[in-house]
């Protein structure tokens, strides 16, 4: 395993290792000969070697298990590994859908990680101090389901394996944390998982720094991840790994499943960079295990070495054969994402000497894995005792940590939020947001976050804290750099680490375009991240169309399970934060203004909770002549237009529609009380796309908005030129009533 | 400049170079002392040295200019550089908005590039064979405007500089290709520009390989780009640069403005990776110029060396001082994005010995730059003569190249598109798309593209061509790897290289989330990219909610200047391609099914052009009892429901709303003929969010869709469970009429 080779020989050596004698009876296949036709690239990186260092993990009740790192029963291990392989093969075959290749190739790693290395309690998948595992290459989820099954998790029974990818099953086509206890985060879209893992490792490092005491390391776990070639190619992976290196996340250990195959064929057609060198540049410790197929001891030694490096995350490049064991498909892209087919399944059974019927777990294998249930219970019990000790000595810290672990919000936290009156000075909602953030920082122990290099524009610094950095991980201001996508996914990881961690992250609203993949996964996976999005319209002015959001409000209103909030002033901003903090399984996006806005009469935190509400009304009997509807910075325009129209003798209702999703979930009677069906004269005004407003203003109403890209000029001028004005609203209203 | 230093000393040495004697009288500032407090990181990369190699660019009429690489008049150069600096300073000051820091730091590089190195014709910014320049750090656009002004471009006159960032000006807050001739691509959102530059360089390499002859290198230009720290942090930059290395784009030369400052302060707070090492890993040639402030000859030598490396792109890391010359703000983030303020402007004028009034270009500087107008004209004339020669000898190739240069579509190209009848076999629209792509490949000389490692699922391979690769750049199938964001932005670069290049790029529809930043810039900048997005709904089945688009159709319908097309069958797919090819300044997204769909009676290419049209109708006098509206795979459901309802005695109109944008731009009379105001009984069906459908179905209508995330199960089951069925449409219709 130790080597001084270079990238240029990696493919060649990988092929050698594939065709070298092993217990798996994999034949050297014609494909391999074809592969050598690819040009090999020079990559003068230094040798990545595994020195025989001893791990220095603190002793635990798993000492026996850890001992197997040196002396596992190879036959039993191979039988366990083949059990994992065939559970994956059989489930994919039964579903006639799925990805057998990765589980077959990574089964040895999976076995070692789950059976020998990781600390968890199968009967309590949410035990706080468990090691976290993320399958960033989420398509290989049958690997994870097989491991959860063997380890004794209730969420993956034999029946679940047999209903892989079927309606209502707990074993969906990609890992989903909300379907399957034991799955930490939802993966599948490539690169997200490794970024989530960075977030999980950040959370551990932060909490350990805050709460651990010399006599009691109450927070202490590793984060493991498996990346495929796709995760390596995705930019989000590089963003997150650059931060992991910067932060020195020593307890993050990532395995790169280097199988040379992606969907379109050999990775040589699109991916010839030297990954080791890139990761060294990113500040990681890098180890290459050349024989990931059968090199059990090499894998064990690499993990030991990784644990011994405490100031850097480690990438273990593991060269494997995709679909290992399949005599006619291993090492080809045909085994990536399709069932093997019954003939090839039979051939694979023969090849690997596996006489059992589908889904069979041999008794010796099951017996061996059965130790995880008592071991896991003991681990948790030991930790509980440790926490009791901790609580006795460090009462205040224990109370905070308990909040973070349980997700309970401290009593009365909401009182910290500022309140405003119409006499309060005009202010930008980004500034009001800063007031809220700083107020919450004082009362929410799990509140932390930051910006993608726009802290001074987004106004997201918590003034009472310093920066979370390599040497100051106890601090809570996170500096993400210009890495929006990584920021979003890292925040998802933080949120899913512990129920009481409440991460926020910030950039300009338009740059949600860079992080939409991560924001959608917040919504899918129920991660209650708070997305603080400032500069939310043409109101940002001179930076121009590339920086001015237009379609963004609409695009998020269309997204399920997310709250799009656009507060208009101080009380609405505070209300938006209240909603965001309370919604722990539904992320919130706060769209905030760059420009100053007045505090309007009639706005309220309570109104925000209902999503839409009346801020002023002089009509009688729920029959206004006209209803004016605005959001955010344009609520002021609606209010002023209302004043004008009232002067002209109309009865006017002005409605703030701060969150469509919240309004939509109100009882019909409430909705009718705000927007009565009979009142069809409605004008909306919002400095964004009118798309979607048709349903609000109705067939006879008028939506004033912007259905073109913005422009570079002072904000006031753009508002005027684009017709987002009091005059336009008054004119439209008069045409309707 | 030559050096064997390592990253660990970069900051220190950069500081040294900043404080070393120079002509700019920049003082060593207290900030610098603070900077040294940052921890320096080890980075054992090999030395990046500049060897004194001579450039080997073919001789041209610019020999004189190129000669200045060795022997420019330093005093004049410095005056030119200061002219650039103060044009930027003055314009930002007048606008009281903008980014003076980068132009002040990069002015030396800007001068050398535009005055000494690049080949262009100021009076014809669209001359085909010009060198391309991309300011990826687009906020520094005053650098580019100043250079265009000095070089004699009509688009940036003194008056334009004075109206920087004002309404209607040609000098917006970030570079916009559609506002300012001479600007190649629209930048500002970080990382996009370097990816565009990769696309421009790809286009050059491809066209050169296809059209150049041993006796006539008719395609021959360089692509230059300036990146900031932000571009380096963004994942899209890594994606694109990984591909540039993979493709061996030797004529791409990128400058990394290493100024150690980002918006939130010193880059050490979030960005400590070793960029050189990462780029070496990506397969680039890397050079470090340590004194970017005054090291003119070092910059010149680095460019020479870069040109001599023909099989790799080159990154020239240029250590500069942001805001160079400002005695109190240089080297700090306060100079990044705000006007200096009149006091500091005065101080800077004193510091740099610049006695002139704002916007003044000294006569000697103007006179010096004036050579670009005759030189540029001569360059173009020389090339035109070369093209005439080419045309004589290589008639067929010349005709193709002319099409690519002019953007003319070959006569009758549309006839190549396939047509279908209801008897044609049912087929997935992704498959029908493949038929269209392959038909177009034969008739459109500028058609090229590929997929983000999903060619076998997106079905996007052109069978008559091989892969565009380092050694086969004449081919047209581009393998982007799993890099959606980079793919989109590279495609934008290809589209904006020449009007007749028609790039397409593909992934699963849901992964538009990964590339939305680039797609939006296609729309903003008028790049007619064709986005081929398959697996467009829950119809993809087992892969589950992370892979099933829900809100995506709505989210793009809300985006300005883009065509969202969702064809239902063969004729509509062909029609969608026809629309997409014809729209060269408006990108198109084609949402295509994984599952088979029948060819429906009544669909047509002509219908698609109108965006919405009737596919069947048995009503009289434009008064159907019910209108059923569907798109894509659900048009079949609408048609079947129509049949059911007719059996039940209703008159039914079935409408395909394949592109809302196209329908929206039809005359009112046409729209009324399809969706008459009086016909309020309307039911829509689409396997996506109902957001936005309210306006189409009206207050009394019903939108059937999916307002939750999807599920992992066979597609048919999900359709049934989610109520996207004929029965649901019939039931809803019966409730309305």
């Amino acid at each position: 395993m130790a080597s001084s080779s270079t990238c240029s020989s990696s493919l060649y050596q990988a092929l050698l290792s594939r065709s070298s004698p092993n217990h798996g009876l994999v034949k050297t296949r014609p494909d391999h000969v074809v592969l050598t036709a690819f040009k090999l690239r020079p990559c003068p990186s230094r040798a990545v070697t595994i020195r025989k260092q001893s791990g220095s993990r603190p002793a635990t009740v798993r000492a026996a298990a850890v001992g197997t790192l040196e002396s596992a029963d190879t036959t039993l291990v191979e039988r366990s590994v083949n059990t994992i392989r065939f559970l994956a093969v059989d489930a994919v075959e039964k579903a006639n859908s799925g990805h057998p290749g990765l589980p077959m190739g990574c089964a040895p790693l999976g076995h070692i990680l789950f059976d020998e290395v990781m600390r968890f309690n199968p009967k309590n998948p949410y035990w706080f101090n468990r090691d976290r595992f993320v399958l960033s290459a989420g398509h290989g989820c049958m690997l994870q389901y097989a491991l959860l099954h063997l380890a004794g998790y209730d969420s993956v029974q034999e029946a679940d394996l047999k209903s892989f990818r079927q309606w209502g099953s707990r074993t969906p086509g990609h890992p989903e944390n909300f379907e399957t206890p034991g799955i930490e985060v939802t993966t599948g879209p490539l690169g997200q998982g490794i970024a989530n893992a960075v977030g999980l490792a950040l959370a551990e490092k932060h909490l350990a720094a805050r709460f651990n005491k010399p006599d009691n390391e109450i927070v202490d776990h590793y984060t493991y991840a498996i990346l495929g070639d796709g995760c390596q190619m995705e930019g989000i992976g590089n963003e997150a790994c650059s931060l992991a290196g910067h932060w020195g996340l020593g307890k993050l250990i990532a395995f790169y499943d280097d199988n040379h195959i992606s969907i379109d064929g050999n990775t040589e057609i699109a991916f010839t960079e030297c990954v080791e060198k890139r990761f060294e540049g990113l500040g990681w410790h890098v180890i290459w295990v050349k024989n990931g197929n059968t090199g059990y001891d090499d894998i064990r030694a690499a993990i030991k070495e990784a644990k011994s490096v405490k100031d850097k995350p480690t990438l273990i490049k593991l060269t494997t054969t995709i679909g290992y064991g399949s005599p006619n498909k291993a090492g080809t892209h045909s085994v990536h994402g399709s069932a093997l087919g019954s003939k090839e399944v039979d051939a694979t059974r023969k090849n690997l000497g596996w006489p059992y019927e589908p889904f069979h777990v041999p008794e010796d294998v099951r017996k061996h894995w059965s130790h995880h249930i008592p071991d896991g219970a003991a681990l948790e019990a030991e930790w509980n005792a440790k926490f009791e000790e901790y609580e006795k000595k460090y009462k205040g810290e224990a109370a905070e940590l308990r909040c973070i672990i349980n997700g309970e919000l401290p009593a009365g936290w909401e009182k910290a939020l500022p309140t405003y009156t119409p006499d309060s000075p005009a202010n930008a909602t980004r500034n009001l947001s800063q007031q809220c953030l700083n107020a919450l920082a004082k009362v929410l122990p799990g509140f932390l976050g930051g910006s993608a290099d726009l802290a001074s524009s987004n106004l997201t610094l918590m003034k009472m804290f310093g920066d979370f950095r390599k040497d100051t991980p106890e601090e809570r201001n996170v500096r993400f750099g210009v890495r929006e996508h990584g920021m979003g996914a890292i925040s998802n990881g933080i949120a899913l680490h512990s129920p009481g961690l409440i991460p926020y992250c910030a950039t300009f609203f338009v740059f949600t375009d860079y992080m939409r993949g991560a924001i959608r996964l917040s919504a899918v996976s129920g991660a209650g991240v708070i997305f603080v999005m400032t500069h939310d319209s043409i109101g940002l002015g001179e930076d121009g169309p590339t920086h001015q959001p237009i379609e963004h409000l609409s695009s998020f209103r269309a997204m399920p399970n997310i709250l799009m909030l656009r507060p208009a002033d101080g009380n609405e901003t505070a209300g938006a934060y209240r909603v965001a903090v309370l919604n722990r399984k539904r992320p919130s996006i706060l769209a905030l203004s760059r420009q100053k806005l007045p505090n309007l009469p009639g706005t309220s935190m309570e109104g925000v909770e209902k999503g839409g509400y009346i801020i002023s009304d002089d009509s009688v009997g729920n029959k206004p002549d006209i209803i004016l509807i605005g959001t955010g910075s344009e609520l002021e325009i609606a209010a002023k237009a209302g004043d004008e129209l009232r002067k002209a003798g109309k009865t006017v209702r002005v409605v703030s529609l701060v969150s469509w999703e919240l309004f939509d979930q109100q009882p019909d009677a409430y909705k009718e009380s705000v927007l009565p069906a009979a009142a069809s004269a409605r004008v909306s005004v919002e400095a964004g796309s009118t798309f979607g407003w048709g349903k609000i203003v109705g067939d006879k109403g008028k939506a004033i908005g912007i259905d073109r890209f913005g422009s570079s000029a002072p904000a006031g001028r753009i508002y005027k030129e684009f017709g987002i004005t009091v005059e336009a609203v008054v004119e439209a209203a008069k045409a309707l009533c």
Side-chain angles (χ1 to χ4, degrees), chain A:
Chain A
M1 177 174 54
S3 157
S4 61
S5 308
T6 67
C7 267
S8 62
S9 58
S10 69
L11 185 57
Y12 173 68
Q13 298 200 354
L15 294 177
L16 271 189
S17 71
R18 282 175 194 172
S19 55
S20 64
N22 62 54
H23 306 277
L25 306 175
V26 175
K27 295 174 197 162
T28 306
R29 304 195 42 258
D31 302 73
H32 294 167
V33 180
V34 174
L35 295 184
T36 58
F38 283 102
K39 265 205 153 181
L40 299 177
R41 62 218 127 90
C43 176
S45 78
R46 74 165 175 77
V48 282
T49 62
I50 299 183
R51 291 173 299 281
K52 287 286 172 195
Q53 295 169 306
S54 60
S56 58
R57 192 80 196 284
T60 75
V61 293
R62 281 290 301 282
V66 174
T68 62
L69 281 176
E70 304 295 351
S71 58
D73 175 334
T74 306
T75 311
L76 186 60
V77 167
E78 275 174 7
R79 286 172 60 74
S80 169
V81 166
N82 281 335
T83 303
I84 296 162
R85 287 192 179 116
F86 282 99
L87 288 178
V89 165
D90 295 338
V92 172
E93 200 63 22
K94 185 163 191 300
N96 193 26
S97 172
H99 301 75
L102 183 143
M104 295 169 80
C106 286
L109 169 62
H111 169 88
I112 289 171
L113 266 183
F114 273 69
D115 189 49
E116 301 177 9
V117 175
M118 280 172 56
R119 303 196 305 169
F120 52 84
N121 178 8
K123 296 304 172 195
N124 179 11
Y126 303 108
W127 171 46
F128 167 74
N129 203 42
R130 69 194 179 276
D131 286 336
R132 267 64 169 182
F133 172 78
V134 175
L135 185 64
S136 190
H139 49 273
C141 57
M142 266 310 308
L143 173 71
Q144 205 170 354
Y145 297 147
L147 292 165
L148 293 176
H149 176 66
L150 290 175
Y153 283 74
D154 295 331
S155 48
V156 188
Q157 315 274 351
E158 187 179 325
D160 298 300
L161 296 173
K162 288 180 173 170
S163 58
F164 178 54
R165 290 187 156 227
Q166 303 308 305
W167 179 262
S169 84
R170 287 185 293 192
T171 47
H174 290 85
E176 296 173 357
N177 62 306
F178 51 96
E179 289 288 357
T180 320
I183 302 288
E184 302 289 351
V185 296
T186 294
T187 57
L190 297 174
Q192 299 288 338
I194 179 63
N196 296 160
V198 171
L200 293 167
L202 178 156
E204 196 273 347
K205 184 169 173 129
H206 170 68
L207 295 176
R210 260 173 81 183
F211 294 105
N212 284 358
K213 303 290 177 184
D215 65 342
N216 195 327
E217 300 210 338
I218 194 68
V219 183
D220 174 27
H221 71 77
Y222 283 87
T223 301
Y224 300 94
I226 297 180
L227 295 78
D229 293 300
C231 299
Q232 293 289 17
M233 288 188 253
E234 291 286 7
I236 184 178
N238 194 70
E239 290 180 9
C241 291
S242 177
L243 283 170
H246 172 69
W247 289 326
L249 300 179
K251 288 166 92 175
L252 172 62
I253 300 175
F255 301 87
Y256 164 33
D257 177 27
D258 169 49
N259 63 28
H260 295 281
I261 294 295
S262 67
I263 292 176
D264 280 352
N266 192 290
T267 50
E268 289 280 320
I269 68 173
F271 187 50
T272 50
E273 67 179 53
C274 181
V275 171
E276 298 96 297
K277 197 159 195 180
R278 177 161 62 86
F279 270 77
E280 285 173 10
L282 298 180
W284 286 53
H285 182 68
V286 181
I287 303 170
W288 182 14
V289 174
K290 291 185 185 168
N291 178 9
N293 292 334
T294 57
Y296 299 109
D297 285 337
D298 298 349
I299 297 171
R300 293 177 181 118
I303 295 171
K304 264 198 179 172
E305 177 177 332
K307 288 187 174 184
S308 75
V309 175
K310 299 188 181 307
D311 62 341
K312 290 179 176 187
T314 295
L315 182 79
I316 300 174
K317 170 172 148 171
L318 193 70
T319 299
T320 68
T321 302
I322 191 169
Y324 181 93
S326 161
N328 300 298
K329 296 190 170 180
T332 74
H333 65 100
S334 66
V335 79
H336 166 83
S338 307
L340 294 179
S342 61
K343 213 173 136 185
E344 186 66 9
V345 171
D346 290 348
T348 307
R349 280 190 145 72
K350 272 194 199 121
N351 190 31
L352 292 180
W354 200 251
Y356 308 109
E357 62 189 13
F359 297 101
H360 182 73
V361 177
E363 196 45 40
D364 55 342
V365 172
R366 187 170 300 283
K367 195 176 159 204
H368 170 76
W369 279 82
S370 66
H371 73 85
H372 287 285
I373 293 175
D375 278 6
L379 278 170
E380 182 167 354
E382 182 199 39
W383 185 85
N384 286 339
K386 205 167 163 182
F387 189 81
E388 266 183 44
E389 286 302 308
Y390 187 90
E391 205 159 26
K392 277 179 208 156
K393 284 181 80 171
Y394 310 107
K395 204 168 172 184
E397 290 94 327
E400 280 210 344
L401 183 56
R402 201 180 271 282
C403 271
I404 289 169
I405 293 173
N406 297 338
E408 288 159 15
L409 297 169
W413 68 273
E414 297 145 295
K415 287 175 195 149
L417 285 169
T419 55
Y420 303 85
T421 73
D423 297 330
S424 306
N427 214 337
T429 47
R430 62 173 170 152
N431 222 333
L432 298 159
S433 159
Q434 187 177 36
Q435 296 172 5
C436 292
L437 283 170
N438 276 275
L440 292 173
K442 290 180 192 147
V443 292
L444 298 178
F447 200 63
L448 77 169
S451 162
D453 192 43
L454 286 170
S456 51
S457 296
N458 302 138
L459 302 175
T460 44
L461 281 185
M462 295 178 287
K463 293 170 185 172
M464 62 191 288
F465 298 122
D467 288 352
F468 172 89
R469 291 187 51 188
K470 188 173 185 172
D471 299 322
T472 52
E474 70 282 7
E475 299 290 352
R476 299 204 221 164
N477 285 304
V478 185
R479 304 287 196 163
F480 290 102
V482 193
R483 304 180 183 95
E484 297 84 4
H485 205 178
M487 172 174 76
I490 289 169
S491 299
N492 289 344
I494 296 171
L496 295 172
H497 182 278
S498 292
L501 288 179
I502 307 181
Y504 66 90
C505 63
T507 183
F508 287 167
F509 190 30
V510 80
F511 297 135
T512 51
D513 285 347
Y514 274 53
M515 57 191 299
R516 202 170 163 95
I519 294 177
R520 188 177 207 256
L521 274 169
S522 300
V524 169
S525 62
V529 177
I530 304 175
F531 296 95
V532 179
M533 296 293 150
T534 72
H535 295 61
D536 74 342
S537 77
I538 52 166
L540 64 88
E542 291 88 344
D543 275 346
T546 55
H547 285 54
Q548 292 163 354
I550 296 291
E551 68 279 16
H552 299 74
L553 291 165
S554 302
S555 78
F556 286 112
R557 286 172 184 152
M559 186 181 278
N561 198 44
I562 198 161
L563 293 168
M564 179 69 249
L565 296 137
R566 189 163 187 251
D569 64 3
N571 288 329
E572 285 204 352
T573 302
Y577 271 100
R578 185 173 183 277
V579 164
V581 169
L582 287 171
N583 276 273
R584 295 290 78 237
K585 297 206 166 182
R586 194 176 184 185
S588 299
I589 305 178
L590 276 62
L592 302 163
S593 76
R594 177 190 186 216
Q595 71 272 32
K596 280 189 183 180
L597 304 172
N599 286 286
L600 297 169
T603 59
S604 69
M605 287 183 63
E606 297 69 34
V608 174
E609 277 169 53
K610 292 185 169 154
Y613 66 105
I614 300 166
I615 66 159
S616 75
D617 189 19
D618 64 349
S619 71
V620 179
N622 205 20
K623 284 182 186 164
D625 293 334
I626 183 92
I627 302 179
L628 305 179
I629 312 161
T631 76
S633 44
E634 287 69 65
L635 188 60
E636 176 191 8
I637 292 176
K640 283 184 177 163
D643 292 344
E644 293 289 316
L645 290 162
R646 284 175 195 134
K647 280 181 208 157
K650 305 292 183 187
T651 60
V652 183
R653 173 175 298 175
V654 180
V655 169
S656 170
L657 204 60
V658 55
S659 168
W660 294 26
E661 300 85 358
L662 291 174
F663 185 65
D664 211 45
Q665 69 194 38
Q666 300 306 313
D668 286 346
Y670 177 76
K671 286 190 266 190
E672 173 69 14
S673 77
V674 177
L675 297 177
S680 64
R682 304 178 185 180
V683 177
S684 69
V685 58
E686 184 173 74
S689 168
T690 61
F691 192 85
W693 277 101
K695 194 177 171 182
I696 306 290
V697 297
D699 293 352
K700 294 183 185 156
K702 163 92 176 166
I704 294 176
I706 306 170
D707 293 312
R708 50 160 289 185
F709 287 117
S711 186
S712 171
R717 181 72 185 267
I718 314 176
Y719 266 85
K720 202 178 156 196
E721 296 284 348
F722 282 18
I724 310 298
T725 60
V726 174
E727 296 70 37
V729 174
V730 169
E731 190 185 323
K734 283 185 175 168
L736 293 178
C737 68

